[in-house]
Amino acid sequence: MRTQVGIIGAGPAGLLLSRLLHLQGIDSVVLENRSRDYVEARIRAGILEQHTVDTLTAAGLGDRLQREGLEHRGIYLQYPGTRHKLDFPELCGRTVWVYGQTEVTKDLIAAQLDGGPPLLFEVSDVRPEDVDGDSPRIRFTDADGVEQVLECDVIAGTDGFHGPSRAVVQGAAGRVWERTYPYAWLGILADAAPATDELIYAWHPEGFALYSMRSPSVSRLYLQVDPAEKIEDWSDDRIWENLATRFALEGWELTTGTITEKSVLPMRSFVSTPMRRGRLFLAGDAAHIVPPTGAKGLNLAVADVTLLAQALVRLLHEKQTDLVDTYSDRALARVWRCTHFSWFMTSMLHRSGDDFDAELQLSQLRRIAASEPAARELAENYTGLPLDL
Ligand code: FAD
Ligand code: DHB
């Protein structure tokens, strides 16, 4: 088999990259080790920045997003006694959209299978090889157990945090930065109409809570818990009681409903540099992880592949290496900005158990509520900074 760009991983990064290249007349093959059902059912992120929506729409993937996505014009920051709204259009002229990553993934897979480049599910033993030369290749075993070799001009490692690409790029010269936060999120999906018009990020003495949603009848809610917490110890009643306590505000009531999914998510920051070795380029979670408090993971993956697609078009159509040569530095500038913002939101909103920290957090929250420049800084980062900083 031969293609121009061999793409490892059919998450949002790999699928969108394949789509953007296809629209520019560049062919690719996407290799995914899970099944289509598994990939489409993975419940993850929910907030799309303006540029993510614009990129998906320009790539012909905006139909269902425009129909079923929910445009949000702000968020609430809550701390005891106060629920303060940040109005994004007023502060920075942009909005965000609620549209689940599962839906983005389904739209991307549907477009790919409808006349797009090949997408092979349930492959195994995927290995990028000879990435320092001009003719790299990917060895893998297909779903029928047959060993295959995919010859490529370029390989994109969009295989997430656990994929094989990062170790190859790291080689001897790479470097990794990591922070593990002493918090985790217990996330639920519930058949309950959202009891709020905008997302609520709530600081509370008992821990952070986040109120999000997926549709007019489905809510997505999160509670800060200890990373060692076992999901079996959290009955539905216990979850609702904790949510009611942490979101409590006079005159407001939580709506409950049937919980259809629940899980505990660890939180870490992770950055692997550089994002390129020879003809192997990393994008998305393969190169970096952010804690979810800033809603950046999926958006960063989209930003990376937008830059990477431009660079590969220039390399493969015009034989110019300038954009691939600067790809890693340009992508990392945005990665570090989003890593800082995600750290900032995480540090400001989670209860560490230290009362001095709590006073600093409350002081920062009051500052954002009182100061337009402080609020604008948050709004600009949350709704998404320009692609090339
Ligand atoms: P992924 O979505 O991880 O895709 C990588 C793909 O590569 C997967 O399909 C994987 O199966 C495949 N793959 C892996 N190994 C191989 C291999 N050896 N061969 C072939 N294919 C392989 N972000 C937020 O902003 N908000 C959230 O609430 C949020 N919640 C999250 C919850 C969880 C449990 C996780 C794990 C992440 C969450 N994120 C969240 C982060 C967000 O989902 C990711 O940033 C986003 O999925 C990144 O997309 P990606 O395509 O780079 O990686
Ligand atoms: C969602 C997840 C986030 O991490 C976040 O900051 C906002 C919303 C969500 O899943 O809806």
Side-chain angles (χ1 to χ4, degrees):
M1 292 166 79
R2 194 189 147 80
T3 189
Q4 286 176 288
V5 182
I7 299 177
I8 308 176
L15 291 166
L16 180 61
L17 178 64
S18 177
R19 174 81 186 168
L20 295 174
L21 294 172
H22 176 65
L23 294 172
Q24 298 286 332
I26 291 174
D27 49 76
S28 62
V29 173
V30 183
L31 303 174
E32 166 62 46
N33 65 349
R34 302 287 192 161
S35 68
R36 179 180 179 181
D37 283 350
Y38 183 93
V39 171
E40 289 190 342
R42 246 179 335 212
I43 295 167
R44 289 180 170 180
I47 292 283
L48 306 185
E49 293 172 0
Q50 183 82 59
H51 86 85
T52 298
V53 172
D54 295 346
T55 302
L56 293 172
T57 305
L61 299 157
D63 282 1
R64 208 159 64 91
L65 169 58
Q66 299 294 335
R67 253 195 341 269
E68 296 175 21
L70 310 169
E71 187 175 20
H72 280 254
R73 302 169 60 84
I75 55 169
Y76 292 105
L77 286 181
Q78 177 166 333
Y79 43 95
T82 304
R83 185 175 289 175
H84 178 81
K85 182 167 177 177
L86 299 182
D87 183 319
F88 292 155
E90 211 168 78
L91 289 164
C92 66
R94 294 195 290 272
T95 60
V96 295
W97 289 66
V98 167
Y99 190 65
Q101 181 170 333
T102 40
E103 307 313 308
V104 174
T105 305
K106 282 182 209 159
D107 293 347
L108 282 161
I109 289 177
Q112 188 98 9
L113 297 179
D114 181 22
L119 164 54
L120 310 186
F121 288 104
E122 297 180 68
V123 306
S124 54
D125 210 12
V126 177
R127 285 153 292 154
E129 283 184 3
D130 275 353
V131 301
D132 294 321
D134 287 339
S135 321
R137 77 189 68 81
I138 306 173
R139 286 187 194 278
F140 66 99
T141 304
D142 70 19
D144 298 323
V146 181
E147 291 216 8
Q148 302 278 0
V149 181
L150 178 63
E151 306 282 351
C152 324
D153 294 325
V154 168
I155 300 173
T158 52
D159 42 5
F161 189 68
H162 301 287
S165 298
R166 184 174 60 253
V168 177
V169 171
Q170 278 276 317
R175 184 166 174 194
V176 161
W177 283 262
E178 192 164 14
R179 170 150 312 173
T180 304
Y181 299 89
Y183 320 120
W185 281 11
L186 189 164
I188 65 160
L189 207 56
D191 289 333
T196 176
D197 55 341
E198 304 293 7
L199 272 65
I200 307 169
Y201 287 79
W203 184 99
H204 190 274
E206 289 182 17
F208 171 69
L210 170 60
Y211 202 131
S212 183
M213 60 205 75
R214 285 292 178 273
S215 75
S217 57
V218 176
S219 296
R220 174 85 169 139
L221 298 124
Y222 300 95
L223 283 172
Q224 175 189 344
V225 295
D226 190 272
E229 215 49 70
K230 289 197 182 60
I231 195 69
E232 308 83 76
D233 295 336
W234 285 81
S235 67
D236 292 4
D237 285 347
R238 183 178 174 202
I239 292 172
W240 287 120
E241 274 163 28
N242 272 265
L243 288 165
T245 302
R246 298 189 198 183
F247 288 118
L249 192 75
E250 215 179 301
W252 182 84
E253 225 171 287
L254 182 73
T255 32
T256 61
T258 307
I259 295 177
T260 55
E261 199 264 351
K262 56 180 169 182
S263 52
V264 175
L265 323 167
M267 290 172 84
R268 63 153 78 87
S269 285
F270 179 92
V271 181
S272 167
T273 67
M275 286 172 64
R276 171 201 186 179
R277 172 174 167 185
R279 292 208 161 222
L280 172 57
F281 297 83
L282 299 181
D285 278 18
H288 42 75
I289 300 281
V290 286
T293 328
K296 289 291 162 224
L298 169 61
N299 293 295
L300 259 186
V302 170
D304 283 355
V305 296
T306 307
L307 289 178
L308 182 56
Q310 290 163 359
L312 294 181
V313 168
R314 188 142 166 91
L315 176 74
L316 297 171
H317 278 334
E318 299 167 38
K319 310 287 174 234
Q320 297 295 320
T321 60
D322 53 345
L323 295 185
V324 288
D325 288 343
T326 55
Y327 164 72
S328 177
D329 287 345
R330 286 181 296 127
L332 284 167
R334 208 168 184 290
V335 167
W336 277 114
R337 179 88 291 287
C338 293
T339 299
H340 175 270
F341 179 67
S342 303
W343 164 86
F344 164 75
M345 291 288 281
T346 302
S347 313
M348 177 172 68
L349 289 162
H350 290 73
R351 190 77 166 96
S352 71
D354 180 315
D355 290 340
F356 182 81
D357 287 349
E359 292 303 324
L360 294 180
Q361 293 172 321
L362 289 167
S363 170
Q364 180 66 39
L365 285 161
R366 289 190 202 104
R367 172 72 185 158
I368 293 169
S371 152
E372 193 169 305
R376 180 170 301 119
E377 177 61 12
L378 191 156
E380 285 185 356
N381 280 276
Y382 191 91
T383 56
L385 292 167
L387 273 194
D388 229 335
L389 287 178

